[in-house]
Amino acid sequence: MKKVVLFASGGGSNAQAIIDYFKDSRKIEIVLILSNNPNAGVLERAKNSGIPGLSFNKFAFAKANSIHLLLQAINPDLIVLAGFLWKFPDFLVQDFEQKVINIHPALLPKYGGKGMYGIHVHTAVVAAGEQESGITIHYVNENYDEGAIIRQERCSVKPGETPQQVAAKVLELEHLYYPQTIESLLI
Ligand code: GAR
């Protein structure tokens, strides 16, 4: 079995899509869901799915502390960030080289970087009058949203559409393509 660890900060609809996709898999298992937010909906989803879920604070996330040691002990085949809003630390990027991926709700390299997350991204896309947006699945490196791109998928942005409407279209792409991409990287 290939082992996947998920990191998420919020409601976790992507985490849910991934959980559902691999629920009956004989090749890929979601072994742990980690969140920086003890009240994150994603931990409820973990519980409902029978997957261990754990929240952590800044201390536990520091080098040589509990999350680092836990990940070293698990030695996952892939670490998947799904709406994880803290910077992923450099020592973990180095320890798990080419094994950490993220999904971003826009077509990088546009609309990425610090502070560009969730609805802020879609607001910027609409304000700029873009005619398309989409998703970018990429490896995580030491800089926000700058790792090598694995896959991009697009959707239209029509005149008059709100950031919320664009967000809904983009989220649909995320749910469809993130699980598939995880599978293709592992099998
Ligand atoms: C997703 O749209 C994801 O792309 C975005 O947060 C949302 C989480 O939704 N991530 C970022 O903006 C990272 N920069 P979810 O909790 O329902 O999966």
Side-chain angles (χ1 to χ4, degrees):
M1 269 299 205
K2 297 281 171 85
K3 289 175 287 188
V4 173
V5 172
L6 290 180
F7 278 79
S9 300
S13 71
N14 273 286
Q16 189 67 56
I18 295 165
I19 292 167
D20 293 345
Y21 190 86
F22 293 112
K23 163 163 76 40
D24 299 318
S25 173
R26 291 174 180 203
K27 295 184 173 159
I28 294 169
E29 186 183 8
I30 313 303
V31 295
L32 179 64
I33 300 183
L34 292 166
S35 183
N36 59 303
N37 174 5
N39 301 314
V42 72
L43 293 174
E44 197 58 32
R45 294 181 191 271
K47 204 162 120 194
N48 294 338
S49 312
I51 297 170
L54 199 62
S55 70
F56 57 87
N57 60 21
K58 285 240 171 355
F59 293 106
F61 204 32
K63 187 167 183 165
N65 214 332
S66 47
I67 296 301
H68 190 188
L69 299 178
L70 187 59
L71 289 172
Q72 283 176 332
I74 293 172
N75 193 22
D77 297 283
L78 199 64
I79 294 173
V80 173
L81 312 188
F84 181 61
L85 300 183
W86 279 5
K87 171 98 169 48
F88 205 71
D90 293 356
F91 63 87
L92 286 179
V93 172
Q94 283 145 21
D95 260 27
F96 295 94
E97 212 190 335
Q98 295 290 96
K99 285 190 177 173
V100 188
I101 65 169
N102 180 45
I103 191 160
H104 187 76
L107 298 170
L108 292 173
K110 285 171 119 178
Y111 308 107
K114 198 169 187 317
M116 272 293 173
Y117 61 88
I119 199 69
H120 302 294
V121 176
H122 308 298
T123 302
V125 166
V126 168
E130 295 285 356
Q131 293 180 353
E132 62 172 14
S133 189
I135 62 168
T136 304
I137 297 167
H138 64 93
Y139 286 105
V140 172
N141 70 7
E142 282 83 353
N143 302 315
Y144 269 113
D145 300 327
E146 286 184 15
I149 291 174
I150 300 164
R151 181 170 195 164
Q152 291 190 306
E153 295 294 335
R154 289 154 200 277
C155 62
S156 63
V157 177
K158 304 227 169 71
E161 274 188 334
T162 63
Q164 286 74 14
Q165 286 170 315
V166 177
K169 286 202 261 188
V170 168
L171 203 59
E172 219 173 285
L173 292 176
E174 296 190 37
H175 296 167
L176 181 62
Y177 290 108
Y178 209 14
Q180 283 181 24
T181 305
I182 292 166
E183 184 173 45
S184 70
L185 290 171
L186 288 172
I187 291 180

